[in-house]
Amino acid sequence: MLRFPVLAIALAIATPALAQEAAYTKTVDVPFDDAQFSVEQAITNAGLVIDATSNVGEMLARTKADVGGTKDLFTHATTFTFCSATASRQVMEANIANLQHCPYAVFVYETPDAPGKITVGHRAYADPAMVPVTELLDGIVADALNDPAHPVAICGHRPVLPLMNHALEVVYHPMSTAEC
């Protein structure tokens, strides 16, 4: 008889911890529109097609009163979803149930509590089989922010977002078309 109450208590304690998902994020001091554009460009520059752009911030602001909300959560918030045939094949061959994670998403947001601080990130996956997707998403965020740990060559074009270089204290060295 004692097993069921113990199990119920264990589940009640574990459920919130299991429900909370981690996120990989980077924060920069740039205008939101610039960060959003840079993320969009990083995704397409990776050869991926954006399936959907969700204006989550606008939706939450528009529906706040309807659902009894009392707090402005975001000044701006956008999520881009897309899929990668290569990464998806790798993670789904490892575990067919990894289908649940596709499409993948990168988000960009600014909060009223931290104006001018733009957060760019993606879901962090605990499953080791998801490493190819994690590497893809990390690369997209790094490319969007021109992270020096993940250099990006933008051949024959101006940098997508020179302000990001300044925010991260990175010196941008454009390549000539001949160097590509």
Side-chain angles (χ1 to χ4, degrees):
M1 288 289 215
L2 195 54
R3 285 188 306 196
F4 294 112
V6 171
L7 179 60
I9 291 169
L11 285 174
I13 292 170
T15 301
L18 292 173
Q20 185 175 5
E21 293 185 24
Y24 171 87
T25 61
K26 297 277 187 170
T27 302
V28 293
D29 296 314
V30 298
F32 178 83
D33 290 340
D34 290 348
Q36 179 178 283
F37 179 75
S38 187
V39 168
E40 186 175 9
Q41 290 300 299
I43 294 167
T44 58
N45 288 345
L48 303 168
V49 175
I50 296 171
D51 295 324
T53 302
S54 299
N55 297 309
V56 178
E58 291 176 13
M59 179 273 298
L60 289 171
R62 184 179 64 251
T63 60
K64 180 174 83 172
D66 298 337
V67 298
T70 58
K71 179 180 178 181
D72 290 326
L73 299 172
F74 300 103
T75 307
H76 305 284
T78 302
T79 300
F80 297 98
T81 59
F82 51 90
C83 205
S84 162
T86 303
S88 294
R89 165 79 45 193
Q90 291 172 321
V91 302
M92 290 175 209
E93 282 185 0
N95 180 349
I96 200 73
N98 283 335
L99 170 65
Q100 68 183 307
H101 301 299
C102 193
Y104 314 114
V106 174
F107 56 82
V108 184
Y109 69 81
E110 176 182 25
T111 64
D113 299 336
K117 302 283 185 193
I118 309 304
T119 301
V120 178
H122 63 81
R123 175 181 291 156
Y125 299 98
D127 182 355
M130 292 298 291
V131 167
V133 171
T134 298
E135 290 173 349
L136 171 71
L137 297 173
D138 286 352
I140 288 168
V141 170
D143 291 355
L145 303 179
N146 293 326
D147 186 336
H150 298 84
V152 181
I154 304 174
C155 301
H157 301 283
R158 67 176 179 80
V160 173
L161 189 55
L163 292 175
M164 289 289 194
N165 293 325
H166 176 70
L168 293 172
E169 298 178 4
V170 174
V171 176
Y172 175 75
H173 299 286
M175 298 175 66
S176 71
T177 307
E179 294 176 281
C180 296

